[in-house]
Amino acid sequence: MSCLVVTPGEPAGIGPDVLLALAASGFSAPLVAIADIQLLRERAQTLKVPVTCVDVSEADLENTQVKPAELRVLHTPLIESVRAGELNAANAPYVIKTLDKAIALCLHGKASGLVTGPVHKGIINDSGLAFTGHTEYLRDQSQTQEVVMMLATEGLRVALVTTHLPLKDVSEAITQDKIIRVTRILHTALQREFGCVAPRILVTGLNPHAGEDGHLGREEIDTIKPALAALNAEGIPTRGPLPADTLFQPHYLDKADAVLAMYHDQGLPVLKYKGFGNAVNITLGLPFIRTSVDHGTALDLAGSGKADTGSMLVALNTAWEMAKHKENYHA
């Protein structure tokens, strides 16, 4: 299997810090960072992290070794020098270039998956580059029609039908076709990349108490139930729609591989309460594996040595486990 590639993200943030800290403690999976090697060396010196950054080429990716206190780097030069905690719009193209390199390597089979550190969307847009987020950028650059956002922590996976929408627009965005497409992607990923032979998917309702038989809204009756019936008819069994306020308990979750929530703040607050700092953001439906940390750039912590490595470790381990399942999967 090929190595993972990692983009540390915003160079002034904690992405480089957590990657270096993990390199010092040792990785379980072979990986290569796509970043400015001098940035990483200088940050390692600032943090007093005993890590050797080794410059490698694309040809070296197939033979990546896991060595203690070593970080292999596919050098991508910064545009301007960086000070920890200080944003600079001039380096926004550098952030995008690291992503473009990573995408190309994954699409050409030279990497088993991509792990992304946190970026600062505001500074990228301030530079004149239109950027709505990692998920949308990876989707568009890989020419993927539809992707699904799923967050995971120990004992819980939550995928979303809709993501970053104002609450007033959510109901209109939830259609039978949308639910069916998203569930198909989720079901396939659970089989291929998580080793679930017969995935068990719980589906929330949209309204309080899942609509109370139409008394609190008809989306469950008119949209969600018909979509789930169609999925069941094609061999994708689901359970729902279930009230979101009672679904997230062991009685249901112990018998499930994933929860499909209708909107962002219906499912993710529960997951982040359960596992913030030890959760991972996963993009399903791409032609390659992608995981990400569940936190932002934390500029105030950059260069301080106080950044928590938990989410990056989970993102790396999850990507590697997904890659192994995908390698061994037979439909």
Side-chain angles (χ1 to χ4, degrees):
M1 265 171 44
S2 305
C3 66
L4 299 173
V5 288
V6 183
T7 54
E10 168 53 49
I14 63 168
D17 301 34
V18 295
L19 188 57
L20 288 163
L22 289 174
S25 62
F27 297 113
S28 60
L31 62 88
V32 170
I34 302 179
D36 186 294
I37 195 166
Q38 191 59 30
L39 162 71
L40 293 172
R41 286 171 175 164
E42 290 174 358
R43 193 67 63 86
Q45 191 172 33
T46 298
L47 296 168
K48 296 180 173 56
V49 176
V51 171
T52 301
C53 295
V54 179
D55 197 354
V56 299
S57 68
E58 288 189 20
D60 298 320
L61 297 185
E62 293 182 6
N63 300 307
T64 300
Q65 304 283 323
V66 180
K67 295 183 180 180
E70 180 179 285
L71 180 60
R72 295 164 74 85
V73 183
L74 187 61
H75 177 57
T76 306
L78 283 160
I79 296 169
E80 293 188 5
S81 61
V82 168
R83 293 186 64 178
E86 296 183 12
L87 295 172
N88 184 347
N91 282 319
Y94 156 81
V95 174
I96 298 300
K97 189 172 183 179
T98 63
L99 285 173
D100 288 342
K101 274 191 179 183
I103 293 166
L105 290 170
C106 289
L107 289 176
H108 289 95
K110 294 183 178 181
S112 290
L114 167 61
V115 179
T116 57
V119 297
H120 195 289
K121 289 185 281 189
I123 203 69
I124 296 174
N125 284 287
D126 287 348
S127 76
L129 299 171
F131 187 82
T132 54
H134 270 123
T135 302
E136 295 82 3
Y137 190 79
L138 296 171
R139 178 197 66 201
D140 294 345
Q141 294 302 109
S142 64
Q143 298 183 340
T144 303
Q145 185 173 3
E146 185 157 29
V147 296
V148 174
M149 178 187 289
M150 182 173 81
L151 269 73
T153 192
E154 185 175 355
L156 181 61
R157 303 184 186 106
V158 178
L160 303 175
V161 176
T162 63
T163 53
H164 300 126
L165 285 178
L167 197 54
K168 66 181 180 62
D169 297 334
V170 168
S171 178
E172 186 177 352
I174 296 172
T175 64
Q176 290 185 38
D177 186 53
K178 176 75 170 175
I179 293 170
I180 290 169
R181 295 197 314 269
V182 167
T183 307
R184 285 173 179 161
I185 292 170
L186 174 59
H187 185 267
T188 298
L190 289 171
Q191 288 183 317
R192 185 180 61 194
E193 294 160 4
F194 292 91
C196 303
V197 177
R200 301 164 300 174
I201 300 171
L202 302 180
V203 182
T204 68
L206 173 64
N207 297 294
H209 304 169
E212 283 195 358
D213 296 323
H215 295 290
L216 289 176
R218 292 194 55 85
E219 286 87 352
E220 287 77 13
I221 295 170
D222 297 338
T223 304
I224 301 175
K225 286 183 178 179
L228 301 188
L231 287 162
N232 187 66
E234 64 181 66
I236 301 178
T238 58
R239 184 177 180 186
L242 297 168
D245 65 337
T246 54
L247 182 157
F248 292 98
Q249 57 175 304
H251 172 72
Y252 291 110
L253 297 179
D254 287 349
K255 303 178 185 68
D257 297 301
V259 173
L260 181 62
M262 291 295 122
Y263 60 93
H264 188 281
D265 281 14
Q266 183 185 56
L268 298 194
V270 179
L271 185 136
K272 291 191 176 185
Y273 177 77
K274 177 177 173 60
F276 191 77
N278 290 289
V280 57
N281 187 345
I282 306 167
T283 306
L284 308 178
L286 291 168
F288 52 84
I289 289 165
R290 181 260 173 159
T291 67
S292 181
V293 295
D294 70 346
H295 57 73
T297 55
L299 296 168
D300 58 323
L301 295 178
S304 71
K306 298 178 181 179
D308 191 322
T309 60
S311 186
M312 177 61 83
L313 180 61
V314 175
L316 290 169
N317 288 340
T318 300
W320 190 239
E321 288 301 312
M322 290 173 68
K324 289 191 291 186
H325 281 301
K326 187 174 181 179
E327 180 83 2
N328 297 321
Y329 176 71
H330 301 286

